[in-house]
Amino acid sequence: MIMRTALRVRVLKTHTPSLFWRPHSTSTPLIEEGCGGLVLKSLSTDVYENLAVEDWIHDNVELQNRNVLFIWRNSPAVVIGRHQNPWQECNLRLLREKGIGLARRRSGGGTVYHDLGNVNLTFFTSRKGYDRARNLGIVTRALKALRPGLDVHATERYDILLNGRFKISGTAARLGRASAYHHCTLLCGTDTTVLAAVLKGACQGIKSNATPSVPSPVLNLTDIDPSLDCGAVTEAVAAEYAAHHGLEPRVAPVDPRDESSLPGIGGLTRALQAWEWVYGKTPRFSVGTSSEVCYKKSNAAVTLNMEVKDGAIVSCAIGTHRDWVPPAVCDQLASQLVGSRFCPSETAVLTAALLRTCPGDGELRDKWGVLCENVAAVM
């Protein structure tokens, strides 16, 4: 994984992981004491695998006297902050239709869209050495080295703006007791049409204390200069980082699936993929909607009020005109939803089972089906 010539790695006879470990680790460290850090680049474009590498380095690598830069890109994915509500932050139905992944990271901050036109940079340091302004200074210097006169600067919010207006980089961080990391995006050639479409919450009527994102106008670096693509930007940032920290200008590849180098990485990846983490960690919220449903020539207003905790429905009330669907039918559906996930696929399975027990009246059965579809559509 690590280029031994560049990082002064001792070759051992054992199959010891090839990253340096914290002092309490039982594994033998491979990096000599004098090594001040390194630059890593992921071989994966899977968002969960790359986020898992962040967790692994933060939890396992000794960073008190070393600095690490991790460079990675992802196939299309939306990444929300640790304390955010995905139903508020993005169009989940569109994500499902387009096959775009959704991930929740360990750091705070707002929601971002990743694709292969976006470069992600993670700066690892000790807690004491944590400095976002320094890191963003490295990025802006690298960009100006590629194109002198480029108007880029970091803001007080630790974003990077292009031409004083367009956001090309957002930032977030995770601070541990001893270690920390600061990561940021860098828009080189991202599909901004998809970005705008998916970063728009489609679920109406949500009330929540979750951290909201702050929308900003964005622009790609390649819109200013086609030569500022991901490859050129990655090389420039890596070189500037190495120069700033006095490292050899080399980039070491890292394979997020390599359990021999990153013991336990598979478990970290699976934890980040789990519904309980991606959706279940959403802060408690409520949903209140009112909509009109139609069956043949009859219309009716339907109200829906839910409380959702840990991604599961803890209370539910459904109402409509008693001449359209009897109140007992609404109450039965509401009571069955309590305890289930706030999830369209699970709701679809549950309501399908309920429909099989619906009274034989064809019109009532059809209306109940319309009602069920209306409830699932909220999710």
Side-chain angles (χ1 to χ4, degrees):
M1 179 187 71
I2 294 178
M3 299 174 64
R4 288 178 171 78
T5 56
L7 299 174
R8 295 171 288 178
V9 177
R10 292 199 297 267
V11 179
L12 303 181
K13 294 181 180 180
T14 59
H15 296 290
T16 313
S18 55
L19 279 177
F20 40 91
W21 293 67
R22 295 192 190 280
H24 63 258
S25 171
T26 57
S27 297
T28 305
L30 297 184
I31 303 298
E32 293 181 357
E33 188 65 27
C35 179
L38 72 164
V39 179
L40 298 172
K41 183 178 179 181
S42 179
L43 296 175
S44 173
T45 58
D46 182 280
V47 63
Y48 307 105
E49 292 177 353
N50 286 324
L51 289 173
V53 172
E54 286 191 323
D55 290 346
W56 195 96
I57 294 174
H58 178 270
D59 295 342
N60 293 284
V61 174
E62 172 54 61
L63 295 166
Q64 293 311 302
N65 298 302
R66 299 181 180 90
N67 299 282
V68 176
L69 171 62
F70 177 46
I71 303 172
W72 44 297
R73 292 192 297 158
N74 291 323
S75 298
V78 169
V79 184
I80 61 174
R82 183 184 183 102
H83 307 294
Q84 290 198 292
N85 183 320
W87 290 276
Q88 280 183 303
E89 296 296 330
C90 53
N91 188 328
L92 293 174
R93 177 177 291 183
L94 186 59
L95 293 188
R96 292 189 289 266
E97 291 175 357
K98 289 184 171 291
I100 296 173
L102 175 68
R104 182 187 297 273
R105 60 180 183 267
R106 304 288 183 185
S107 62
T111 299
V112 291
Y113 172 71
H114 291 179
D115 64 13
L116 294 177
N118 171 71
V119 175
N120 300 294
L121 306 166
T122 308
F123 300 85
F124 293 90
T125 62
S126 65
R127 173 70 181 257
K128 186 177 180 180
Y130 169 77
D131 188 338
R132 287 188 288 182
R134 178 194 61 204
N135 299 335
L136 296 181
I138 290 172
V139 176
T140 55
R141 287 197 302 274
L143 294 175
K144 290 177 181 179
L146 285 175
R147 192 178 192 275
L150 187 69
D151 182 4
V152 288
H153 72 274
T155 70
E156 293 181 354
R157 291 178 54 86
Y158 299 105
D159 298 325
I160 297 179
L161 295 186
L162 176 64
N163 294 339
R165 177 188 174 194
F166 298 102
K167 184 174 177 178
I168 60 169
S169 178
T171 196
R174 180 185 179 190
L175 303 179
R177 285 179 294 179
S179 302
Y181 65 73
H182 159 225
H183 48 195
C184 63
T185 56
L186 199 52
L187 297 178
C188 297
T190 290
D191 189 330
T192 53
T193 300
V194 176
L195 181 154
V198 297
L199 298 188
K200 187 179 297 183
C203 186
Q204 304 299 315
I206 290 181
K207 292 183 179 179
S208 171
N209 291 323
T211 303
S213 295
V214 180
S216 302
V218 299
L219 194 67
N220 282 308
L221 287 165
T222 52
D223 292 333
I224 299 297
D225 184 341
S227 70
L228 297 177
D229 58 20
C230 291
V233 167
T234 294
E235 290 182 10
V237 172
E240 182 65 31
Y241 182 88
H244 180 86
H245 290 288
L247 307 175
E248 295 183 50
R250 301 289 183 90
V251 177
V254 57
D255 182 357
R257 299 181 184 181
D258 186 357
E259 284 277 350
S260 64
S261 295
L262 307 169
I265 190 70
L268 293 176
T269 301
R270 289 188 292 274
L272 288 164
Q273 293 171 322
W275 195 96
E276 290 77 10
W277 170 254
V278 178
Y279 297 96
K281 285 298 181 180
T282 301
R284 184 168 183 153
F285 65 99
S286 64
V287 180
T289 65
S290 179
S291 58
E292 187 172 277
V293 294
C294 177
Y295 173 73
K296 295 184 177 179
K297 294 184 178 181
S298 65
N299 298 338
V302 175
T303 59
L304 174 66
N305 291 282
M306 290 182 177
E307 291 285 337
V308 182
K309 180 182 179 184
D310 300 328
I313 301 168
V314 295
S315 70
C316 180
I318 302 171
T320 188
H321 197 281
R322 64 173 56 248
D323 292 337
W324 201 78
V325 170
V329 171
C330 293
D331 293 344
Q332 183 180 1
L333 175 57
S335 65
Q336 291 296 317
L337 287 171
V338 172
S340 67
R341 291 175 175 177
F342 189 72
C343 167
S345 59
E346 185 161 321
T347 298
V349 172
L350 186 149
T351 54
L354 283 176
L355 280 170
R356 288 194 292 270
T357 66
C358 184
D361 184 320
E363 181 174 328
L364 176 59
R365 186 185 186 88
D366 291 344
K367 287 181 177 179
W368 198 4
V370 171
L371 184 64
C372 291
E373 291 175 2
N374 180 265
V375 172
V378 172
M379 305 171 186

